[in-house]
Amino acid sequence: MTPQPEILHYAVSVVGKDRTGIVSGIAEALFRLGCNLADSSCTMLAGEFAVILIVSHVRPFSKGRLYDELKPVCDGLGMSLAVRTLQADEIARLEPPGEICLISVYGADQPGIVYRVTQELAERGVNITDLNTKLIGTHAEPVYVMMLEAALPEGQTPEELEALLGDLKKELNVEIGVRVVTPVAF
């Protein structure tokens, strides 16, 4: 029989119309349950607010209890809720090998920018670890901004990658920059 871990982990996602108090309401419910926030990301996309959490709790505990306690809080905030139990191989944070870079893309808004850039990166073995997009500029002249954090494949330099993206840059009529991100140790 496989020994069961003493600490249980869950992925919690909450999405809904942005309003004041979403993070504090969810954090309060988790605190009252005795949960620990191991990892989190929260962001506003247009008028929607999205929360993704990795939550841990000492055994005995259950996904059902976590869901049942969070659901009324989320309903009160007008948010949807999903909870998933994580397996042992899903909780270890694996830092991607290779140099970590920030890739920026700016240009006139048009369909396909995310697809074409991420497709090109995938074909070159670049592992995207974070991606944010935003529409800035004016209503008459919208500018699409995409920021990606990515791990380069072994032996690839940021300068080489930026040069390899040159044809795509011309085709999409966007600016693409690649620079090294200095890792921070805690």
Side-chain angles (χ1 to χ4, degrees):
M1 184 171 159
T2 305
Q4 297 298 310
E6 289 302 313
I7 306 290
L8 302 168
H9 291 83
Y10 304 93
V12 176
S13 58
V14 178
V15 179
K17 184 177 179 185
D18 185 44
R19 59 175 282 183
T20 302
I22 295 170
V23 175
S24 68
I26 295 166
E28 180 184 2
L30 293 171
F31 172 73
R32 291 186 187 280
L33 278 168
C35 292
N36 181 47
L37 290 180
D39 218 346
S40 65
S41 181
C42 304
T43 192
M44 192 165 68
L45 305 167
E48 294 290 301
F49 192 75
V51 177
I52 301 174
L53 307 168
I54 303 300
V55 174
S56 62
H57 195 284
V58 176
R59 206 178 270 280
F61 196 69
S62 70
K63 172 185 162 186
R65 182 172 176 214
L66 179 58
Y67 185 88
D68 289 346
E69 294 290 333
L70 283 178
K71 183 70 172 138
V73 175
C74 290
D75 286 347
L77 293 166
M79 309 292 282
S80 64
L81 168 68
V83 177
R84 183 171 71 87
T85 303
L86 298 178
Q87 304 304 313
D89 64 333
E90 297 176 296
I91 57 174
R93 185 176 186 100
L94 301 174
E95 295 300 327
E99 189 128 37
I100 304 297
C101 291
L102 181 65
I103 302 169
S104 57
V105 181
Y106 297 87
D109 188 30
Q110 59 186 295
I113 294 175
V114 174
Y115 165 63
R116 294 296 315 282
V117 172
T118 58
Q119 178 190 42
E120 192 78 23
L121 295 173
E123 288 175 356
R124 299 182 184 290
V126 176
N127 183 17
I128 298 169
T129 57
D130 193 27
L131 183 149
N132 290 290
T133 63
K134 192 167 280 285
L135 201 55
I136 61 172
T138 64
H139 205 340
E141 293 184 39
V143 176
Y144 197 75
V145 178
M146 179 167 60
M147 306 297 281
L148 303 105
E149 182 183 279
L152 301 182
E154 195 69 34
Q156 175 96 71
T157 68
E159 295 79 16
E160 290 170 338
L161 179 62
E162 189 168 334
L164 290 170
L165 295 172
D167 288 342
L168 184 61
K169 179 179 168 180
K170 289 177 190 167
E171 182 184 329
L172 295 174
N173 194 26
V174 295
E175 292 297 321
I176 301 177
V178 181
R179 68 179 175 86
V180 173
V181 175
T182 304
V184 177
F186 292 101

